[in-house]
Amino acid sequence: MQQLDWSNLAFKYRKTNAAIISRYAGGEWSAPAAVREFELPFNLYAGVFHYANSCFEGLKAFRGVDGKVRLFRPDENAARLRRSAAHLDMAAPPESLFLEMCLQCVRENIDFLPPYGFNASMYIRPVLIGVNPQLGIASSDEVLFAVLGSPVGTYSGAAGLSTGTAVLSRNYDRAAPNGTGSYKIAANYATSLHPYNLAHKQGYRELLFLDPATKTHIDEFGSSNFLAIKGNSYVTPLSDSVLPSITNKSLQQVAADFGMKVEKRPVPLEELAEMDEVNACGTAVVITPIGSLDDKPTLESAEITRTYRFGDPAKCGPVSEKLYRRIRGIQDGTEEDIHNWCVEL
Ligand code: PLP
Ligand code: COI
């Protein structure tokens, strides 16, 4: 077992024992192999470097109260990666290979898997990139699939940011109408880098994007989905430009299990004033409370036209807390996994 400060892992790169890789060429995937060095040779003409022929996933493995190791819904990540790759017209690993490589990655890096009780986990990052040399704009026909694993604690977009603060992005879109917002492709994150930097420089932890077609409805945060509690309802945006979050899908089920009404529908911006609790949700952020959200004419502007407040920025509201505890309990083995979401190592 590694001797790490398990309570303060943050969400950052750490060299671990191994990454698992498989290459696709000539219609076949190679047998997965563990590599100890993460610097691999690539042709500089590989599509990934020029045209963002790249998509990826994020899921977590948890060491449970009972000592068992659980992966949370890896089948969903396998399916979403296939959907993203299909949009890039690129080969994707079958679900069985995806799962095998995720499990192998956890096994190879088991001494980096945080112990139970530190609210930490192993973040698994499957990434699929186009590697054959090319000059023209084209989909890749040779692909590298790598599964990386890193111990993580709490996600914070950048170091030293106040928890729970967010700002609206009015003058930058994450995705286009009819574009790629619903796919987990690298290009979407490149689009959000500059506006995120602007927000982070002003101390905001999160950036909330609006629907790119009309700018009247809420889409999602750059790192996560938007979820609000309004009375007995769980409210989350229905939009073609939002990533279908596996955490959000699971939380909707948990909310329904608690007898809440689940409302997945377009959410007008003004409705923010009526929300009791607002959170970001996703694999990395789990459920992170948003205590306040500033609306500004532009991200560059010093003017704040309106501030929405939703409660303590450092603590989930009571309903969100209940949802958080249930989902984290299922992941840790302290709550019954009634929907069979976890895959044991
Ligand atoms: N939205 C965006 C833009 C994300 O990057 C993520 C992270 O994966 C999510 C939402 C949350 O998705 P999931 O819960 O599947 O991790
Ligand atoms: C995840 O939650 O898995 C993501 O990919 C988001 C990213 C901010 C790490």
Side-chain angles (χ1 to χ4, degrees):
M1 191 76 164
Q2 296 282 322
Q3 295 301 313
L4 300 179
D5 183 2
W6 302 112
S7 315
N8 292 296
L9 289 172
F11 190 91
K12 61 175 192 201
Y13 166 70
R14 199 181 296 268
K15 174 74 173 70
T16 53
N17 299 334
I20 314 302
I21 63 169
S22 171
R23 282 177 188 264
Y24 177 90
E28 286 192 23
W29 289 96
S30 65
V35 293
R36 312 277 154 201
E37 295 305 326
F38 297 175
E39 282 93 14
L40 301 181
F42 290 106
N43 191 299
L44 290 174
Y45 284 90
V48 62
F49 297 130
H50 304 256
Y51 305 119
N53 301 22
S54 167
C55 53
F56 66 97
E57 274 304 321
L59 64 155
K60 280 177 173 170
F62 302 85
R63 209 187 281 273
V65 66
D66 50 5
K68 288 183 182 162
V69 177
R70 294 175 176 80
L71 274 64
F72 189 68
R73 308 194 79 174
D75 52 323
E76 291 281 337
N77 295 92
R80 194 171 62 185
L81 186 72
R82 292 187 67 78
R83 188 174 167 269
S84 301
H87 191 70
L88 299 172
D89 289 320
M90 198 156 98
E95 184 184 321
S96 54
L97 180 63
F98 181 97
L99 184 61
E100 177 190 344
M101 289 175 64
C102 288
L103 293 170
Q104 193 180 349
C105 180
V106 178
R107 252 182 245 116
E108 289 280 351
N109 296 299
I110 197 78
D111 55 333
F112 283 93
L113 184 70
Y116 170 76
F118 289 87
N119 204 14
S121 56
M122 174 165 291
Y123 185 77
I124 303 171
R125 170 53 61 84
V127 57
L128 191 69
I129 59 174
V131 292
N132 57 289
Q134 61 185 82
L135 190 54
I137 305 173
S139 291
S140 303
D141 46 31
E142 287 175 28
V143 173
L144 177 86
F145 179 50
V147 181
L148 319 168
S150 186
V152 298
T154 326
Y155 180 82
S156 161
L161 297 177
S162 12
T163 56
T165 55
V167 62
L168 265 184
S169 179
R170 281 197 177 272
N171 58 321
Y172 294 92
D173 295 326
R174 177 184 165 273
N178 308 314
T180 57
S182 74
Y183 303 98
K184 200 163 173 65
I185 65 173
N188 289 340
Y189 297 83
T191 317
S192 70
L193 291 176
H194 182 62
Y196 252 121
N197 291 336
L198 290 171
H200 287 163
K201 268 185 217 146
Q202 295 165 61
Y204 296 109
R205 184 190 149 135
E206 265 308 333
L207 184 57
L208 183 59
F209 290 97
L210 294 170
D211 80 282
T214 71
K215 308 270 198 175
T216 55
H217 288 71
I218 295 168
D219 249 3
E220 66 173 330
F221 299 100
S223 67
S224 42
N225 273 185
F226 173 98
L227 107 75
I229 307 297
K230 183 179 177 185
N232 190 41
S233 288
Y234 178 113
V235 181
T236 194
L238 177 69
S239 160
D240 289 343
S241 44
V242 158
L243 188 78
S245 155
I246 297 159
T247 313
N248 192 352
K249 182 179 176 182
S250 311
L251 287 168
Q252 287 169 43
Q253 181 63 58
V254 168
D257 293 345
F258 277 129
M260 292 177 69
K261 185 174 171 211
V262 175
E263 298 180 33
K264 190 170 180 192
R265 56 164 169 84
V267 180
L269 181 57
E270 304 76 53
E271 201 181 340
L272 280 175
E274 299 162 26
M275 300 305 191
D276 301 320
E277 303 173 22
V278 166
N279 304 277
C281 73
T283 299
V285 305
V286 194
I287 300 183
T288 294
I290 301 296
S292 66
L293 177 83
D294 282 350
D295 190 359
K296 290 153 68 85
T298 66
L299 279 180
E300 290 82 358
S301 158
E303 187 191 347
I304 295 172
T305 44
R306 182 164 186 182
T307 300
Y308 298 90
R309 294 196 191 278
F310 311 108
D312 190 339
K315 210 166 144 288
C316 278
V319 179
S320 311
E321 176 76 23
K322 207 165 85 166
L323 300 173
Y324 175 88
R325 284 187 188 281
R326 170 64 60 87
I327 199 158
R328 287 289 297 107
I330 292 171
Q331 294 167 337
D332 280 347
T334 57
E335 296 260 354
E336 198 187 339
D337 182 13
I338 55 168
H339 300 291
N340 285 317
W341 283 337
C342 298
V343 170
E344 288 175 17
L345 190 68

